[in-house]
């Protein structure tokens, strides 16, 4: 119908030219009306109604994302050069803790929903920092072999491998054991296998299963060795074989956890 109206309008006016009235300085055009009084042609433009789209929507979210990204960089800068925490002083520990709390607060400050973010937990995570290593033992706040003192142990990379389907939670540690001269040091990878379960919304409980040791380098052809488990009645009370920690920050490539003994740990994929 719109097309028909337009066609009718154009056919009724196209035969009459537009003229400027004598003496008029307004610039308005008039239809030539013959013997009839000229009619003023009025042309107006109407602004389209607002579409309802809020162009500012998402700006706050983008700003929040930028703030979180900047705080992640700040946190990683605070712990860089600390050798996973083995070289951390008390000042370093305080600086890392403050930077982690800033990032946790910027991300919402509430508990992480592990059930909803389970896919983000999946994968192989590299330990960037552990406040527990400032004790200079591989066990952190739990019993563990010392580094560089009674035993010539050098800590290498530390990983956590998490499988959310099988509920496997493996701590993987590369270490180098010193040997008397002229023997070369022994390189090996120890895998501490656990099972895990979600406690509440943001906490994880791990239950120890077994430890497997695999040599590397010149001894890489040796088969893996499963370390015998210490009987429960001989295990120190502080080493129960299980532990809990809370995930306080989690995204696709960074994870922050706080242990049941206050340990702060930072992981990257």
């Amino acid at each position: 119908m719109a097309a028909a109206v337009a066609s009718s309008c154009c056919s009724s006016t196209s035969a009459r030219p537009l003229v400027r009235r004598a003496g008029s300085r307004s610039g308005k055009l008039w239809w030539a009306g013959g013997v009839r009084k000229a009619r003023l042609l009025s042309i107006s433009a109407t602004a389209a109604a607002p579409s309802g789209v809020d162009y500012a929507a998402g700006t706050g979210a983008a700003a929040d994302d930028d703030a979180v990204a900047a705080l992640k960089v700040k946190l990683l800068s605070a712990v860089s050069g600390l050798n996973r925490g083995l070289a951390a002083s008390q000042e370093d520990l305080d600086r890392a803790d403050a930077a982690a709390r800033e990032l946790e607060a910027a991300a919402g400050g509430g508990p992480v929903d592990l059930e909803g973010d389970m896919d983000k937990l999946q994968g192989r995570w590299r330990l960037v920092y552990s406040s527990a290593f400032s004790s200079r033992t591989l066990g952190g706040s739990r019993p563990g072999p010392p580094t560089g003192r009674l035993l010539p142990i050098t800590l290498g990379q530390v990983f956590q491998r998490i499988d959310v389907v099988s509920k496997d939670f493996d701590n993987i540690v590369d270490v180098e054991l010193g040997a008397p001269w002229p023997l070369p040091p022994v390189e090996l990878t120890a895998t501490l296998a656990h099972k895990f379960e979600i406690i509440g919304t943001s906490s994880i409980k791990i239950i120890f299963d077994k430890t497997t040791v695999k040599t590397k380098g010149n001894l890489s052809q040796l088969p893996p060795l499963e370390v015998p488990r210490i009987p429960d009645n001989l295990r120190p009370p502080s080493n129960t074989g299980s532990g809990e920690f809370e995930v306080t920050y989690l995204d696709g490539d960074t994870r922050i956890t706080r242990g049941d003994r206050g340990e702060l740990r930072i992981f990257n994929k």
Side-chain angles (χ1 to χ4, degrees), residues 2-172:
V5 172
S7 175
S8 174
C9 173
C10 293
S11 63
S12 63
T13 59
S14 59
R16 293 178 293 169
L18 292 170
V19 298
R20 180 174 289 108
R21 296 183 63 181
S24 173
R25 297 182 181 180
S26 66
K28 297 179 180 179
L29 298 179
W30 302 73
W31 290 116
V35 296
R36 296 185 178 181
K37 186 177 179 180
R39 292 179 295 172
L40 176 64
L41 176 63
S42 176
I43 301 175
S44 62
T46 303
S51 63
V53 177
D54 183 2
Y55 292 99
T59 304
D64 291 344
D65 291 343
D66 291 343
V68 168
L71 289 173
K72 283 174 61 174
V73 173
K74 179 180 179 180
L75 174 61
L76 295 177
S77 298
V79 300
S80 64
L82 299 182
N83 191 17
R84 276 69 51 82
L86 288 168
S89 64
Q90 185 59 50
E91 182 180 353
D92 295 325
L93 295 174
D94 294 340
R95 184 184 304 110
D97 185 75
R101 292 188 185 280
E102 281 189 272
L103 178 55
E104 292 163 350
V112 174
D113 181 9
L114 291 179
E115 292 293 346
D117 290 336
M118 188 69 73
D119 57 327
K120 296 180 182 179
L121 198 61
Q122 173 76 28
R124 182 181 174 96
W125 297 84
R126 179 176 61 88
L127 179 69
V128 177
Y129 170 82
S130 172
S131 63
F133 282 167
S134 64
S135 65
R136 306 299 190 271
T137 73
L138 298 185
S141 57
R142 289 176 168 79
T147 60
R149 291 187 294 181
L150 299 179
L151 296 176
I153 299 177
T154 302
L155 179 68
Q157 295 289 344
V158 180
F159 299 93
Q160 280 185 349
R161 182 174 56 206
I162 303 174
D163 189 323
V164 299
V165 177
S166 63
K167 302 299 182 183
D168 288 331
F169 192 107
D170 299 336
N171 289 322
I172 304 170

Side-chain angles (χ1 to χ4, degrees), residues 181-264:
W181 187 87
L183 298 177
V186 178
E187 299 178 358
L188 55 86
T189 298
T191 301
L192 287 72
H194 300 77
K195 290 292 184 179
F196 81 92
E197 59 185 72
I198 304 297
I199 305 296
T201 61
S202 59
S203 295
I204 293 178
K205 180 178 181 179
I206 58 174
I207 299 108
F208 177 75
D209 182 19
K210 62 182 178 180
T211 299
T212 304
V213 174
K214 179 70 175 70
T215 53
K216 302 167 59 178
N218 296 331
L219 302 176
S220 60
Q221 295 181 348
L222 295 177
L225 172 66
E226 183 172 331
V227 179
R229 182 171 179 172
I230 301 176
D232 293 342
N233 59 337
L234 298 178
R235 185 178 301 156
S238 58
N239 185 7
T240 62
S242 64
E244 292 186 21
F245 57 87
E246 182 182 8
V247 179
T248 56
Y249 178 83
L250 178 64
D251 63 21
D253 55 16
T254 302
R255 175 165 55 96
I256 300 176
T257 67
R258 294 186 179 272
D260 52 6
R261 302 191 185 190
E263 311 97 328
L264 169 66

